Amino acid sequence: MKIDVVLGLQFGDEGKGKVCHSLLEKNDYTHVIRFNGGGNAGHTIWHKGKKFVTHLIPSGVFYGKKSIIGSGCVININKFFNELQYLKNENINVEGLVYIAKNTHIVTENHIIEDSLDSKIGTTRSGNGPAYRDKYIRSGFRAEDFSELKPYLIDLYEEFYEKNPDSVILAEGAQATGLDIDWGDYPYVTSSHCGIGSVLLNGFNHKNIRNVYGIIKAYDTYVGLKNFQPEDPIFEAIQIAGNEFGSTTGRKRQCNWLDWDMVTKAIKMNGVNRLIINKIDILRQVDAWRIRSNNDLITFCSESDFCDFIREKCEKMWLNSIFSDTPHEI
Ligand code: IMP
Ligand code: MG
């Protein structure tokens, strides 16, 4: 068994969906598994020139791969069936490809109502927090409790250790280090673990992890109620150039310069061996190249100086860095 992991190192919306799509095109994966989060995520994928936004179903379906919602996730049954229908309507073949770990917890309508009353964190109102709370106070419901989910249920142990021990798996993360329940800026975080540990929580073995792709974009964005964007019109320009509006809620994403200290921490803690830096073209459009590092703000004269800074830092940590524009594949 081999597992490649894709995870976010900022506050979500780094372009993980795009990277997964691109990795699927170039590698022979047998399975794709989402390992955390739920309908709060929004993965934007361009497939054959067309834009898709998915929230729950992993991107494996675009390439005919088994796509599993893992036990570390939480799902709302209506949203799941709506998303299946959306993909079918768009002529994406989902037949026999979409599975839910039988021990995945369920987001109920009451969880969504409760979450929609949030005025403290600025949640996506998807019911995630209340669903994870109920999982941990042991009053939740699991996928296996619902007969309508029966055709989709899968036992992760059976699938990977008994039936297909030679699987090559792409593990797709949602959200990111800055939103991680333990390592993010609590309480302005999501309710799941977004790091490498979360992959293992789905029953995987650390020895089988092959590559860990850490995904960032050239600047930071954050959606939620804490103050994040400094007063400077440049950030509005970045927001517009980068179309920084939430794919789940449509809210404006607050912008700031790339926080390299946070990225370094996330690289180390997650064992990232490949760093992918998306949306370089957005900074090119506004022609401003800055990075926060060592509690300082560094200004670069050019794109190449900006990229060299990151490349050199990565080389010192023995990892590859790959720079990418918005519309292109890696
Ligand atoms: P929740 O996950 O809906 O409870 O929201 C908690 C915080 O995480 C809020 O600040 C959300 O905006 C943020 N959040 C959750 N999921 C995502 C995501 O996929 N992208 C960006 N921000 C997210
Ligand atoms: Mg997103």
Side-chain angles (χ1 to χ4, degrees):
M1 196 188 307
K2 293 187 187 82
I3 308 165
D4 284 349
V5 180
V6 168
L7 40 80
L9 308 184
Q10 291 165 303
F11 298 88
D13 309 312
E14 301 93 350
K16 295 182 286 294
K18 172 189 142 179
V19 172
C20 288
H21 185 261
S22 173
L23 286 172
L24 275 157
E25 200 180 359
K26 293 175 185 126
N27 294 276
D28 271 335
Y29 294 109
T30 54
H31 298 75
V32 182
I33 182 164
R34 258 280 300 280
F35 59 84
N36 74 299
N40 52 352
H43 282 182
T44 305
I45 285 166
W46 286 84
H47 184 67
K48 296 185 179 164
K50 202 167 171 200
K51 182 179 167 180
F52 293 85
V53 180
T54 57
H55 302 280
L56 285 168
I57 298 174
S59 53
V61 285
F62 293 98
Y63 286 99
K65 309 289 178 181
K66 271 189 175 176
S67 298
I68 306 173
I69 299 168
S71 58
C73 299
V74 290
I75 68 158
N76 175 261
I77 297 177
N78 286 337
K79 272 194 191 160
F80 170 73
F81 282 113
N82 288 342
E83 195 161 302
L84 263 186
Q85 195 55 49
Y86 157 72
L87 291 169
K88 279 184 199 165
N89 294 346
E90 298 288 342
N91 291 321
I92 303 296
N93 178 29
V94 290
E95 249 14 270
L97 294 178
V98 178
Y99 296 90
I100 305 168
K102 64 180 193 178
N103 47 346
T104 303
H105 273 254
I106 297 297
V107 178
T108 64
E109 297 310 312
N110 280 342
H111 289 149
I112 295 175
I113 293 168
E114 186 183 341
D115 197 20
S116 66
L117 301 174
D118 158 72
S119 58
K120 198 173 92 181
I121 308 299
T123 73
T124 58
R125 307 189 161 194
S126 323
N128 265 56
Y132 278 110
R133 177 203 58 210
D134 283 356
K135 167 176 171 168
Y136 287 104
I137 61 167
R138 291 152 294 169
S139 67
F141 299 98
R142 310 209 291 189
E144 63 190 344
D145 300 326
F146 294 85
S147 57
E148 62 267 49
L149 294 180
K150 207 160 186 192
Y152 304 95
L153 294 185
I154 197 167
D155 179 309
L156 294 178
Y157 182 82
E158 214 173 81
E159 179 70 9
F160 292 114
Y161 295 94
E162 290 178 355
K163 290 189 184 155
N164 305 294
D166 294 326
S167 300
V168 185
I169 305 157
L170 179 63
E172 207 180 84
Q175 293 89 40
T177 313
L179 294 173
D180 181 276
I181 181 81
D182 286 334
W183 294 99
D185 188 12
Y186 193 89
Y188 296 101
V189 293
T190 189
S191 298
S192 67
H193 301 274
C194 313
I196 193 77
S198 196
V199 179
L200 310 187
L201 293 175
N202 285 258
F204 292 105
N205 177 326
H206 69 97
K207 289 183 199 156
N208 294 328
I209 291 180
R210 180 171 63 175
N211 289 306
V212 182
Y213 294 88
I215 320 302
I216 63 171
K217 58 186 168 189
Y219 49 92
D220 278 6
T221 62
Y222 157 82
V223 200
L225 287 181
K226 73 173 172 185
N227 277 335
F228 187 77
Q229 181 168 312
E231 290 276 334
D232 185 334
I234 187 72
F235 296 117
E236 274 129 53
I238 291 174
Q239 191 175 63
I240 291 162
N243 191 25
E244 296 299 349
F245 298 90
S247 44
T248 300
T249 58
R251 291 177 294 171
K252 272 187 192 172
R253 295 175 184 148
Q254 300 185 59
C255 301
N256 202 339
W257 303 113
L258 176 65
D259 180 351
W260 185 256
D261 299 333
M262 181 175 146
V263 172
T264 306
K265 196 170 154 183
I267 287 171
K268 290 182 181 172
M269 289 201 307
N270 290 299
V272 170
N273 64 336
R274 295 189 185 177
L275 181 73
I276 294 170
I277 306 101
N278 281 322
K279 287 194 154 182
I280 289 287
D281 56 324
I282 305 306
L283 291 191
R284 199 179 301 137
Q285 278 182 50
V286 299
D287 194 26
W289 303 97
R290 297 183 126 187
I291 291 179
R292 291 183 278 159
S293 174
N294 279 329
N295 299 318
D296 213 357
L297 183 60
I298 309 173
T299 304
F300 301 92
C301 295
S302 64
E303 174 175 348
S304 65
D305 286 357
F306 176 92
C307 295
D308 282 349
F309 173 91
I310 295 176
R311 205 175 285 119
E312 280 163 25
K313 295 277 188 197
C314 287
E315 277 166 13
K316 280 193 187 137
M317 290 187 277
W318 299 101
L319 60 117
N320 283 342
S321 45
I322 302 158
F323 295 85
S324 170
D325 284 356
T326 315
H328 303 138
E329 300 295 342
I330 56 162

